[in-house]
Amino acid sequence: MLIAETIAAKNNPNICSTNNRYKPTPTHYLFQFSNCTFPNFKLMPLPTKSIRNIIKSLNMKNSNDYDKISTKLLKFSSPFIHSPLTHICNKSLSLGIFPDRLKYSEIKPLFKKGDKHNISNYRHISILTSFSKVLEKAVHFQLYEHCRKHNILAGEQFGFRNKLSTTDAIYKLINKTLIALNEKIMVGGIFCDLEKAFDSINHDILISKLNLYGVKGKTLSWFKSYLKNRYQRVTLTNKANCQNYH
């Protein structure tokens, strides 16, 4: 149909002005094909014990961001700060605001292979503040439970899920392929490698998806605040370059 319309348009240029073909947005497809109504999700305040356990779960590293507070230092000082830190985290969740001081990250280029003078041969590592990691884990735990409880995540998604790995994904792919071949069914596959996948995420679409899955009100405002007005600093040869990104 599209090919026929293209040929017709070339033969008759005026057809373009009369045929205003509707071009739906990605969010249009999102709501059109979702027949489920999900319950509202709200970020709840966490007890001090939960924040203390989150700090314990952090990997003990000496790397640090602009505030020079590593996770190692945070874990050592936890008995003295987990109570006020719990208050700050819960205040952030109740107000729907992610603290501006936690929106700073330091970028460290990690050489992969090839020519060291080619910037594309470096993979950037983003180092967040230790306090930001605590607040992020507090939110992640609640949101993940909401997604798991209401079967929001697709069964084919193996990344960033508990007790699932790339090994499980490979096993499922090979198993389904062998079953199909045994039943003399033609097997085809399309493999996509997205470059800078996380950097290319459209925030408007992401917010629309969260809204669809029941994230509303102050909780949705928290995620919007988390994504906006973030700063990163790249340090090379003792020279720093700080910039804002959305």
Side-chain angles (χ1 to χ4, degrees), residues 165-207:
S165 65
T166 52
T167 304
D168 297 303
I170 294 172
Y171 170 78
K172 187 173 182 179
L173 174 62
I174 294 175
N175 185 55
K176 284 193 171 185
T177 301
L178 293 176
I179 291 175
L181 291 175
N182 289 335
E183 296 178 356
K184 300 186 183 303
I185 300 175
M186 184 179 293
V187 178
I190 299 177
F191 299 89
C192 301
D193 183 11
L194 300 178
E195 184 179 8
K196 298 181 179 179
F198 290 102
D199 296 337
S200 62
I201 293 176
N202 185 297
H203 290 173
D204 292 333
I205 297 176
L206 177 60
I207 293 298

Side-chain angles (χ1 to χ4, degrees), residues 43-47 50-52 54-55 81-99 102 130-139 142 222:
L43 289 171
M44 302 302 294
L46 296 174
S50 296
I51 299 298
R52 185 168 62 244
I54 289 175
I55 296 176
I81 66 171
H82 60 242
S83 181
L85 186 56
T86 300
H87 173 75
I88 294 173
C89 290
N90 288 336
K91 198 70 175 178
S92 171
L93 302 182
S94 63
L95 294 176
I97 299 174
F98 187 81
L102 301 185
S130 299
F131 296 111
S132 174
K133 295 177 182 178
V134 174
L135 184 51
E136 288 176 10
K137 281 183 173 289
V139 172
Q142 297 188 53
W222 188 93

Side-chain angles (χ1 to χ4, degrees), residues 48-60 71 74-76 78-79 82 134 137:
T48 304
K49 180 180 178 181
S50 296
I51 299 298
R52 185 168 62 244
N53 290 336
I54 289 175
I55 296 176
K56 287 183 179 180
S57 70
L58 296 175
N59 294 326
M60 187 173 290
T71 54
L74 179 62
K75 290 168 78 74
F76 284 146
S78 176
H82 60 242
V134 174
K137 281 183 173 289

